[in-house]
Amino acid sequence: MYIAASRTSDLAAGTDRKPALKRVSANVVALGMVSLVTDVSSEMVTAVLPLYLVLGLGLNPLQFGLLDGLYAGATAVVRVLGGHLADRWRRLKAVAGFGYGLSAVCKLGLVAAGSSVAAIGVVLAADRTGKGLRTGPRDALISLSSEPATLGRSFGVHRAMDTVGAFLGPLVAMAVLALSLGSYPSVFVTSFCIAAIAVLLLALFVHDRPATADRAAVSLRAAVGLLRQQDFRRVALWAALLGLVTVGDSFVYLVLQRRWEIAATWFPLLPLGTAGVYLVLAVPLGKLADRAGRWPVFLGGHAALCLALVLLCGPQAGIWLGIVALGLHGVFYAATDGVLMAAAGPLIPRDLRGTGMAVVQTGQAVARMVSSVLFGLAWTLWDLRPAVLVAAACLAAVALAAAIAKPVHP
Amino acid sequence: MKKIVLALAGTVLLIAAAVVYTVSSRHDTAEAGPAAQLTLAPGQLFYRDAATGRVGAVPLAGTGAKPQLSGLKCDRFAVAQQTAVCLAVKPGTLPAVTDVLVLDGGLGVRHTETLPGTPSRARVSPDGKRVYWTLFVTGDSYAQTGFSTRAGLYEVDTGRLVKTIEELPVFLDDKRYFAADVNYWGITFAPDGNRFYATLGSKGTTYLVEADYGRYRGKVLRENVECPSLSPDGKRVAFKKKVGEGGWRLSVLDLASLQETELAETRSVDDQALWQDDHTILYGLENAVWAVPADGSGAPRQLVGGAASPAVTG
């Protein structure tokens, strides 16, 4: 039914010639703004946290890293819970807002935690819980506030705004450190204030989803029933399968660094390279997905990653190949992150949008975690180059199979 | 319209609050006081002054004396003979970049290496010919468990730089050990300038590695030994032993008999221990520098408050 709706809208959109941003709903722009401001806040903390832990508190981040790994699993559960509660209570905005608010308060919690490792652990766990809770309802809101035909563009705009925030975060943190003569609590307090602005923007400018005529009860059974629905199940499954053969970011950067022999000082800039390409391409690739089909673009992104891996292991190693590979890594993100949500959205009944989106994201995230472990193992057993080549071959095979299976029709 | 006014007012208010807090904390971190001209003359205890980040010194014989603060700011500091090393985070770099400053007897800068990461450990070999360090490296967000360590060294007289000893071939039970997640931290050199020890961390386990610098290979001696520090006589290693989650106990390992002795310090110590001489071990804990006998007897005693990263000139 939803597919049919999106097809008719597709035809209608063909004759429309309004400027790009105008065709994205105000709600999506508002949500993008909230994400942008929130990302400034969270990336500030992310940027200074290692410094704070090691120099400010004299902690051992390796230990902290182990602790942090434990939270990653818990976040997956929280994400589905957030999506489901939002659907159940018909309060997408409220649940998302609670998640944003919780993360904001946690920034003050970092100041309150002082030098207690246990307290810092609890605060960061709560912060990540907030992030997990808000993601599903937020993406559902974006999806429900958009024309089905321009979903890709909507997610592209949202993700691009999000990335701008991630770029600004470290810069703001540096400015605060400079202004306060190196006071970490100042960074946390500023981060809280910025996060509070985001919550304010959400409260004032984001509208909850429009009330639906269909008042069917949203129960756990209905949520499970979602997986019985063939279209949805196939998308979730293929997304997870592709996640399983996706080489994680940190590995890509490590391979890049080894092949490219870049000075280690520049290593932290690699993720910025990916993010830059992502920022530039998120909207154009989202539009392309609306026009040429979301699944082909999604798979195209995986092909870009596959190509990047092959380049990194090829006989030639040059700085230009490295830059091209990094660019392809950015293309991979721009063509997959929001596009998958745009592809899955129309397959999920409106009442279950939050749950459904969270399920797809969680399946993908868990698969990527498993993939990291497997790739690490392959690296240990076979050495770097064979491991990357095998990973690229697996990725190509699964992407090809997914192209043949075509779980998304339009 | 009302909403826009509300949003603007709220934003201005919150930004003003942040700026006020930030500017008012300048006062707490501002430095004061003239800089003393320190030298690496014998009989001194150097440390990092917690309040200012500057390197201070007191006589070892009377650590209660009024400290002299140099103008040098370091996050980690170490000395041996007429060589000192200072690890200092470059101000305003995120992710952090560290300057490794190799200093002469008058604390003048002889050489600078700029490396990515956050300072964790620093040492100078007993002959003063090598400086070595451990940095925490992170490029990703804390959500990705992205911490790892990079231990490297610099040969003062030849200028040779080893950015990381990650590629050191290591043997465990006579078999070459391979793993993608190999991390090293806390290097310590023997008086001969060739034998060295370090922590190897991999797959959740830490090992003590004994290595030959000239042949560039190492072997695993023992499990659960972190941040080794070799005694001046070269026969014992002080280290932190993991006891339960999140706790370490300072211990000394006799290399000939592999006998372990737990020291009298019962609090958890997360530092690379330092031998003041063959009988006394120094370490930083709870914002102070402490000393404890190396044979497990006695009790810890505080040497300097508001201090970290102890270093002594012999």
Side-chain angles (χ1 to χ4, degrees):
Chain A
M1 179 175 101
Y2 297 98
I3 298 160
S6 81
R7 277 202 192 116
T8 43
S9 312
D10 251 336
L11 294 172
T15 53
D16 212 355
R17 289 248 177 262
K18 283 183 225 162
L21 260 177
K22 280 253 163 107
R23 281 191 288 182
V24 170
S25 93
N27 220 22
V28 172
V29 176
L31 283 163
M33 220 31 229
V34 170
S35 286
L36 189 158
V37 177
T38 301
D39 254 38
V40 172
S41 156
S42 63
E43 290 300 317
M44 282 176 75
V45 172
T46 302
V48 302
L49 204 65
L51 268 173
Y52 177 66
L53 291 179
V54 183
L55 296 183
L57 302 182
L59 299 184
N60 186 335
L62 273 184
Q63 263 220 323
F64 177 76
L66 289 177
L67 200 72
D68 195 56
L70 294 178
Y71 301 151
T75 329
V77 180
V78 169
R79 204 188 308 218
V80 176
L81 186 76
H84 182 65
L85 288 181
D87 285 339
R88 192 163 198 165
W89 296 334
R90 298 170 185 283
R91 294 241 189 288
L92 292 175
K93 182 181 163 184
V95 172
F98 177 77
Y100 281 110
L102 181 59
S103 292
V105 172
C106 284
K107 308 301 189 283
L108 287 184
L110 280 176
V111 182
S115 59
S116 160
V117 187
I120 289 175
V122 169
V123 169
L124 292 176
D127 187 3
R128 307 255 322 259
T129 303
K131 190 174 167 57
L133 279 177
R134 73 189 179 228
T135 310
R138 182 202 62 204
D139 280 349
L141 272 175
I142 295 173
S143 162
L144 291 169
S145 320
S146 306
E147 287 293 316
T150 57
L151 265 180
R153 185 205 317 263
S154 291
F155 276 101
V157 168
H158 175 265
R159 297 301 200 256
M161 293 178 83
D162 195 88
T163 310
V164 170
F167 268 113
L168 292 178
L171 296 178
V172 176
M174 278 189 224
V176 172
L177 282 180
L179 196 62
S180 66
L181 301 178
S183 142
Y184 298 109
S186 292
V187 176
F188 300 145
V189 169
T190 307
S191 167
F192 163 75
C193 292
I194 294 176
I197 294 173
V199 175
L200 186 69
L201 293 179
L202 177 94
L204 290 174
F205 298 112
V206 172
H207 301 287
D208 217 333
R209 62 170 172 171
T212 45
D214 179 14
R215 281 243 153 220
V218 177
S219 59
L220 265 182
R221 181 179 301 201
V224 174
L226 202 53
L227 282 171
R228 268 193 236 111
Q229 190 195 315
Q230 202 197 2
D231 282 343
F232 175 75
R233 192 182 59 222
R234 289 179 66 200
V235 167
L237 214 68
W238 279 109
L241 265 176
L242 283 162
L244 206 57
V245 290
T246 298
V247 177
D249 297 359
S250 46
F251 287 117
V252 170
Y253 299 139
L254 270 174
V255 178
L256 250 168
Q257 192 202 11
R258 299 221 169 164
R259 256 346 271 292
W260 205 359
E261 291 182 350
I262 50 164
T265 321
W266 301 105
F267 190 63
L269 291 182
L270 295 181
L272 278 184
T274 299
V277 175
Y278 180 27
L279 171 64
V280 171
L281 291 183
V283 177
L285 283 180
K287 282 183 179 174
L288 181 70
D290 289 335
R291 210 167 305 147
R294 284 152 197 160
W295 199 249
V297 171
F298 182 66
L299 292 180
H302 287 84
L305 177 64
C306 194
L307 197 60
L309 293 179
V310 172
L311 275 184
L312 288 176
C313 282
Q316 300 286 319
I319 187 154
W320 287 107
L321 280 180
I323 291 174
V324 170
L326 196 62
L328 286 169
H329 191 240
V331 170
F332 161 66
Y333 268 101
T336 53
D337 190 16
V339 171
L340 176 62
M341 291 299 103
L347 304 175
I348 309 163
R350 297 176 70 88
D351 279 327
L352 287 170
R353 203 59 67 92
T355 315
M357 299 219 136
V359 166
V360 175
Q361 288 166 352
T362 301
Q364 195 189 30
V366 169
R368 281 190 180 167
M369 257 165 65
V370 173
S371 136
S372 277
V373 174
L374 291 179
F375 187 78
L377 204 66
W379 186 339
T380 310
L381 287 177
W382 308 327
D383 206 3
L384 186 57
R385 221 165 169 189
V388 174
L389 286 176
V390 168
C394 290
L395 178 57
V398 176
L400 199 66
I404 294 166
K406 249 191 252 171
V408 184
H409 302 299
Chain B
M1 193 61 202
K2 199 177 144 197
K3 279 182 177 179
I4 291 175
V5 171
L6 257 175
L8 279 178
T11 302
V12 167
L13 211 68
L14 282 162
I15 288 178
V19 170
V20 166
Y21 187 94
T22 300
V23 171
S24 70
S25 55
R26 280 174 85 92
H27 192 66
D28 308 334
T29 43
E31 55 188 299
Q37 196 63 48
L38 300 182
T39 65
L40 300 182
Q44 298 180 87
L45 169 64
F46 289 89
Y47 60 88
R48 174 187 194 265
D49 181 59
T52 59
R54 289 156 69 180
V55 172
V58 287
L60 257 176
T63 53
K66 189 177 183 305
Q68 287 191 294
L69 290 187
S70 76
L72 188 68
K73 278 190 163 189
C74 304
D75 294 301
R76 294 289 184 270
F77 186 76
V79 296
Q81 306 292 343
Q82 288 302 299
T83 304
V85 62
C86 163
L87 306 188
V89 168
K90 251 179 141 61
T93 52
L94 290 173
V97 170
T98 293
D99 277 333
V100 176
L101 306 176
V102 181
L103 310 169
D104 58 25
L107 298 189
V109 177
R110 286 184 61 177
H111 181 78
T112 305
E113 285 291 341
T114 304
L115 300 167
T118 306
S120 170
R121 310 285 180 230
R123 281 292 184 270
V124 182
S125 65
D127 57 11
K129 287 184 178 162
R130 309 195 208 298
V131 302
Y132 33 99
W133 57 84
T134 306
L135 302 175
F136 279 110
V137 183
T138 161
D140 308 317
S141 88
Y142 65 80
Q144 290 172 327
T145 319
F147 293 107
S148 60
T149 56
R150 212 160 279 169
L153 62 91
Y154 173 79
E155 293 182 14
V156 178
D157 36 8
T158 66
R160 180 167 175 244
L161 171 73
V162 180
K163 281 189 183 171
T164 169
I165 60 166
E166 236 165 72
E167 312 286 340
L168 181 81
V170 164
F171 293 81
L172 173 64
D173 298 330
D174 294 328
K175 273 194 300 214
R176 177 83 192 269
Y177 183 80
F178 288 106
D181 71 341
V182 162
N183 263 293
Y184 281 98
W185 62 93
I187 306 176
T188 181
F189 263 89
D192 67 6
N194 184 51
R195 180 169 50 117
F196 74 94
Y197 297 84
T199 319
L200 160 64
S202 177
K203 295 172 186 169
T205 309
T206 55
Y207 305 95
L208 174 66
V209 167
E210 181 184 69
D212 183 306
Y213 184 64
R215 292 170 60 218
Y216 212 61
R217 55 179 51 222
K219 63 173 190 229
V220 168
L221 282 192
R222 200 174 178 84
E223 258 186 48
N224 197 10
V225 173
E226 271 186 74
C227 289
S229 172
L230 198 64
S231 59
D233 63 14
K235 290 176 180 165
R236 288 162 296 162
V237 160
F239 66 100
K240 46 181 235 202
K241 179 171 73 171
K242 197 169 184 184
V243 283
E245 270 315 304
W248 287 281
R249 180 75 185 256
L250 270 188
S251 302
V252 168
L253 175 72
D254 185 279
L255 288 170
S257 66
L258 291 183
Q259 283 291 313
E260 276 180 20
T261 309
E262 289 188 344
L263 302 189
E265 175 59 81
T266 53
R267 291 170 294 180
S268 179
V269 175
D270 183 7
D271 195 10
Q272 185 171 17
L274 177 81
W275 295 77
Q276 179 187 328
D277 49 46
D278 277 323
H279 313 289
T280 312
I281 282 170
L282 310 185
Y283 51 95
L285 178 68
E286 290 171 1
N287 207 23
V289 168
W290 300 75
V292 70
D295 60 3
S297 68
R301 112 192 111 86
Q302 184 176 321
L303 297 184
V304 191
S309 201
V312 294
T313 47

PDB file of all heavy atoms in Angstrom, chain B residues 157-175:
ATOM      1  N   ASP B 157      71.932  10.295  20.598  1.00  0.00           N
ATOM      2  CA  ASP B 157      73.186  10.608  19.901  1.00  0.00           C
ATOM      3  C   ASP B 157      73.136  10.367  18.401  1.00  0.00           C
ATOM      4  O   ASP B 157      73.825  11.049  17.640  1.00  0.00           O
ATOM      5  CB  ASP B 157      74.389   9.897  20.546  1.00  0.00           C
ATOM      6  CG  ASP B 157      74.033   8.509  21.050  1.00  0.00           C
ATOM      7  OD1 ASP B 157      72.901   8.067  20.757  1.00  0.00           O
ATOM      8  OD2 ASP B 157      74.869   7.885  21.719  1.00  0.00           O
ATOM      9  N   THR B 158      72.300   9.399  17.930  1.00  0.00           N
ATOM     10  CA  THR B 158      72.263   9.147  16.483  1.00  0.00           C
ATOM     11  C   THR B 158      71.098   9.866  15.805  1.00  0.00           C
ATOM     12  O   THR B 158      71.087  10.025  14.591  1.00  0.00           O
ATOM     13  CB  THR B 158      72.094   7.645  16.189  1.00  0.00           C
ATOM     14  OG1 THR B 158      70.800   7.260  16.665  1.00  0.00           O
ATOM     15  CG2 THR B 158      73.168   6.823  16.885  1.00  0.00           C
ATOM     16  N   GLY B 159      70.110  10.283  16.583  1.00  0.00           N
ATOM     17  CA  GLY B 159      68.947  10.934  15.991  1.00  0.00           C
ATOM     18  C   GLY B 159      67.958   9.965  15.379  1.00  0.00           C
ATOM     19  O   GLY B 159      67.031  10.346  14.680  1.00  0.00           O
ATOM     20  N   ARG B 160      68.151   8.656  15.646  1.00  0.00           N
ATOM     21  CA  ARG B 160      67.241   7.660  15.072  1.00  0.00           C
ATOM     22  C   ARG B 160      65.922   7.665  15.850  1.00  0.00           C
ATOM     23  O   ARG B 160      65.905   7.679  17.078  1.00  0.00           O
ATOM     24  CB  ARG B 160      67.885   6.276  15.143  1.00  0.00           C
ATOM     25  CG  ARG B 160      67.020   5.193  14.565  1.00  0.00           C
ATOM     26  CD  ARG B 160      67.802   3.894  14.351  1.00  0.00           C
ATOM     27  NE  ARG B 160      66.877   2.862  13.903  1.00  0.00           N
ATOM     28  CZ  ARG B 160      66.611   1.769  14.611  1.00  0.00           C
ATOM     29  NH1 ARG B 160      67.215   1.544  15.763  1.00  0.00           N
ATOM     30  NH2 ARG B 160      65.744   0.880  14.170  1.00  0.00           N
ATOM     31  N   LEU B 161      64.821   7.641  15.099  1.00  0.00           N
ATOM     32  CA  LEU B 161      63.497   7.668  15.710  1.00  0.00           C
ATOM     33  C   LEU B 161      62.759   6.370  15.408  1.00  0.00           C
ATOM     34  O   LEU B 161      62.667   5.956  14.260  1.00  0.00           O
ATOM     35  CB  LEU B 161      62.700   8.854  15.160  1.00  0.00           C
ATOM     36  CG  LEU B 161      61.221   8.922  15.531  1.00  0.00           C
ATOM     37  CD1 LEU B 161      61.032   9.311  16.984  1.00  0.00           C
ATOM     38  CD2 LEU B 161      60.484   9.894  14.622  1.00  0.00           C
ATOM     39  N   VAL B 162      62.274   5.699  16.445  1.00  0.00           N
ATOM     40  CA  VAL B 162      61.395   4.542  16.255  1.00  0.00           C
ATOM     41  C   VAL B 162      60.019   4.985  16.732  1.00  0.00           C
ATOM     42  O   VAL B 162      59.772   5.124  17.921  1.00  0.00           O
ATOM     43  CB  VAL B 162      61.885   3.323  17.076  1.00  0.00           C
ATOM     44  CG1 VAL B 162      60.957   2.135  16.867  1.00  0.00           C
ATOM     45  CG2 VAL B 162      63.304   2.953  16.697  1.00  0.00           C
ATOM     46  N   LYS B 163      59.119   5.247  15.764  1.00  0.00           N
ATOM     47  CA  LYS B 163      57.826   5.835  16.142  1.00  0.00           C
ATOM     48  C   LYS B 163      56.980   4.886  16.958  1.00  0.00           C
ATOM     49  O   LYS B 163      56.219   5.293  17.809  1.00  0.00           O
ATOM     50  CB  LYS B 163      57.058   6.248  14.887  1.00  0.00           C
ATOM     51  CG  LYS B 163      57.546   7.559  14.313  1.00  0.00           C
ATOM     52  CD  LYS B 163      56.625   8.024  13.219  1.00  0.00           C
ATOM     53  CE  LYS B 163      57.153   9.309  12.603  1.00  0.00           C
ATOM     54  NZ  LYS B 163      56.396   9.679  11.410  1.00  0.00           N
ATOM     55  N   THR B 164      57.087   3.602  16.650  1.00  0.00           N
ATOM     56  CA  THR B 164      56.345   2.610  17.429  1.00  0.00           C
ATOM     57  C   THR B 164      57.113   1.299  17.419  1.00  0.00           C
ATOM     58  O   THR B 164      57.730   0.952  16.406  1.00  0.00           O
ATOM     59  CB  THR B 164      54.924   2.398  16.876  1.00  0.00           C
ATOM     60  OG1 THR B 164      54.359   1.244  17.502  1.00  0.00           O
ATOM     61  CG2 THR B 164      54.911   2.204  15.378  1.00  0.00           C
ATOM     62  N   ILE B 165      57.091   0.592  18.552  1.00  0.00           N
ATOM     63  CA  ILE B 165      57.765  -0.714  18.579  1.00  0.00           C
ATOM     64  C   ILE B 165      56.772  -1.834  18.274  1.00  0.00           C
ATOM     65  O   ILE B 165      57.029  -2.996  18.539  1.00  0.00           O
ATOM     66  CB  ILE B 165      58.467  -0.961  19.940  1.00  0.00           C
ATOM     67  CG1 ILE B 165      57.456  -0.926  21.095  1.00  0.00           C
ATOM     68  CG2 ILE B 165      59.576   0.051  20.168  1.00  0.00           C
ATOM     69  CD1 ILE B 165      58.011  -1.484  22.392  1.00  0.00           C
ATOM     70  N   GLU B 166      55.620  -1.444  17.682  1.00  0.00           N
ATOM     71  CA  GLU B 166      54.572  -2.415  17.355  1.00  0.00           C
ATOM     72  C   GLU B 166      55.071  -3.586  16.497  1.00  0.00           C
ATOM     73  O   GLU B 166      54.554  -4.687  16.580  1.00  0.00           O
ATOM     74  CB  GLU B 166      53.474  -1.694  16.573  1.00  0.00           C
ATOM     75  CG  GLU B 166      52.100  -1.801  17.159  1.00  0.00           C
ATOM     76  CD  GLU B 166      51.190  -0.773  16.525  1.00  0.00           C
ATOM     77  OE1 GLU B 166      50.845  -0.978  15.348  1.00  0.00           O
ATOM     78  OE2 GLU B 166      50.855   0.233  17.172  1.00  0.00           O
ATOM     79  N   GLU B 167      56.060  -3.309  15.645  1.00  0.00           N
ATOM     80  CA  GLU B 167      56.524  -4.340  14.702  1.00  0.00           C
ATOM     81  C   GLU B 167      57.571  -5.265  15.327  1.00  0.00           C
ATOM     82  O   GLU B 167      58.094  -6.146  14.655  1.00  0.00           O
ATOM     83  CB  GLU B 167      57.126  -3.679  13.458  1.00  0.00           C
ATOM     84  CG  GLU B 167      56.284  -2.581  12.829  1.00  0.00           C
ATOM     85  CD  GLU B 167      55.069  -3.122  12.082  1.00  0.00           C
ATOM     86  OE1 GLU B 167      55.090  -4.308  11.744  1.00  0.00           O
ATOM     87  OE2 GLU B 167      54.117  -2.349  11.874  1.00  0.00           O
ATOM     88  N   LEU B 168      57.882  -5.066  16.604  1.00  0.00           N
ATOM     89  CA  LEU B 168      58.880  -5.904  17.269  1.00  0.00           C
ATOM     90  C   LEU B 168      58.444  -7.367  17.225  1.00  0.00           C
ATOM     91  O   LEU B 168      57.361  -7.703  17.699  1.00  0.00           O
ATOM     92  CB  LEU B 168      59.015  -5.457  18.731  1.00  0.00           C
ATOM     93  CG  LEU B 168      60.040  -6.195  19.588  1.00  0.00           C
ATOM     94  CD1 LEU B 168      61.434  -5.660  19.338  1.00  0.00           C
ATOM     95  CD2 LEU B 168      59.700  -6.046  21.068  1.00  0.00           C
ATOM     96  N   PRO B 169      59.286  -8.261  16.635  1.00  0.00           N
ATOM     97  CA  PRO B 169      58.898  -9.676  16.631  1.00  0.00           C
ATOM     98  C   PRO B 169      58.964 -10.231  18.058  1.00  0.00           C
ATOM     99  O   PRO B 169      59.971 -10.084  18.731  1.00  0.00           O
ATOM    100  CB  PRO B 169      59.966 -10.336  15.751  1.00  0.00           C
ATOM    101  CG  PRO B 169      60.640  -9.214  15.035  1.00  0.00           C
ATOM    102  CD  PRO B 169      60.537  -8.020  15.930  1.00  0.00           C
ATOM    103  N   VAL B 170      57.863 -10.826  18.490  1.00  0.00           N
ATOM    104  CA  VAL B 170      57.786 -11.308  19.867  1.00  0.00           C
ATOM    105  C   VAL B 170      57.484 -12.803  19.877  1.00  0.00           C
ATOM    106  O   VAL B 170      56.701 -13.297  19.059  1.00  0.00           O
ATOM    107  CB  VAL B 170      56.688 -10.530  20.639  1.00  0.00           C
ATOM    108  CG1 VAL B 170      56.320 -11.258  21.920  1.00  0.00           C
ATOM    109  CG2 VAL B 170      57.170  -9.136  20.974  1.00  0.00           C
ATOM    110  N   PHE B 171      58.118 -13.522  20.800  1.00  0.00           N
ATOM    111  CA  PHE B 171      57.902 -14.961  20.901  1.00  0.00           C
ATOM    112  C   PHE B 171      57.225 -15.298  22.224  1.00  0.00           C
ATOM    113  O   PHE B 171      57.644 -14.838  23.280  1.00  0.00           O
ATOM    114  CB  PHE B 171      59.225 -15.708  20.770  1.00  0.00           C
ATOM    115  CG  PHE B 171      59.822 -15.581  19.394  1.00  0.00           C
ATOM    116  CD1 PHE B 171      60.544 -14.435  19.039  1.00  0.00           C
ATOM    117  CD2 PHE B 171      59.621 -16.560  18.437  1.00  0.00           C
ATOM    118  CE1 PHE B 171      61.060 -14.292  17.760  1.00  0.00           C
ATOM    119  CE2 PHE B 171      60.134 -16.424  17.152  1.00  0.00           C
ATOM    120  CZ  PHE B 171      60.855 -15.275  16.812  1.00  0.00           C
ATOM    121  N   LEU B 172      56.164 -16.085  22.111  1.00  0.00           N
ATOM    122  CA  LEU B 172      55.441 -16.550  23.296  1.00  0.00           C
ATOM    123  C   LEU B 172      55.556 -18.068  23.305  1.00  0.00           C
ATOM    124  O   LEU B 172      55.163 -18.724  22.326  1.00  0.00           O
ATOM    125  CB  LEU B 172      53.966 -16.111  23.206  1.00  0.00           C
ATOM    126  CG  LEU B 172      53.001 -16.625  24.259  1.00  0.00           C
ATOM    127  CD1 LEU B 172      53.348 -16.124  25.639  1.00  0.00           C
ATOM    128  CD2 LEU B 172      51.571 -16.216  23.916  1.00  0.00           C
ATOM    129  N   ASP B 173      56.122 -18.648  24.352  1.00  0.00           N
ATOM    130  CA  ASP B 173      56.401 -20.092  24.402  1.00  0.00           C
ATOM    131  C   ASP B 173      57.149 -20.539  23.148  1.00  0.00           C
ATOM    132  O   ASP B 173      56.766 -21.533  22.506  1.00  0.00           O
ATOM    133  CB  ASP B 173      55.093 -20.892  24.547  1.00  0.00           C
ATOM    134  CG  ASP B 173      54.373 -20.553  25.844  1.00  0.00           C
ATOM    135  OD1 ASP B 173      55.062 -20.205  26.819  1.00  0.00           O
ATOM    136  OD2 ASP B 173      53.138 -20.609  25.859  1.00  0.00           O
ATOM    137  N   ASP B 174      58.173 -19.775  22.757  1.00  0.00           N
ATOM    138  CA  ASP B 174      59.030 -20.081  21.610  1.00  0.00           C
ATOM    139  C   ASP B 174      58.323 -20.002  20.253  1.00  0.00           C
ATOM    140  O   ASP B 174      58.878 -20.373  19.230  1.00  0.00           O
ATOM    141  CB  ASP B 174      59.688 -21.474  21.749  1.00  0.00           C
ATOM    142  CG  ASP B 174      60.652 -21.484  22.913  1.00  0.00           C
ATOM    143  OD1 ASP B 174      61.260 -20.425  23.191  1.00  0.00           O
ATOM    144  OD2 ASP B 174      60.797 -22.540  23.549  1.00  0.00           O
ATOM    145  N   LYS B 175      57.062 -19.550  20.258  1.00  0.00           N
ATOM    146  CA  LYS B 175      56.379 -19.389  18.978  1.00  0.00           C
ATOM    147  C   LYS B 175      56.156 -17.906  18.712  1.00  0.00           C
ATOM    148  O   LYS B 175      55.828 -17.152  19.621  1.00  0.00           O
ATOM    149  CB  LYS B 175      55.037 -20.126  18.986  1.00  0.00           C
ATOM    150  CG  LYS B 175      55.175 -21.572  18.574  1.00  0.00           C
ATOM    151  CD  LYS B 175      53.826 -22.181  18.248  1.00  0.00           C
ATOM    152  CE  LYS B 175      52.883 -22.141  19.411  1.00  0.00           C
ATOM    153  NZ  LYS B 175      51.959 -23.210  19.589  1.00  0.00           N
TER     154      LYS B 175
END
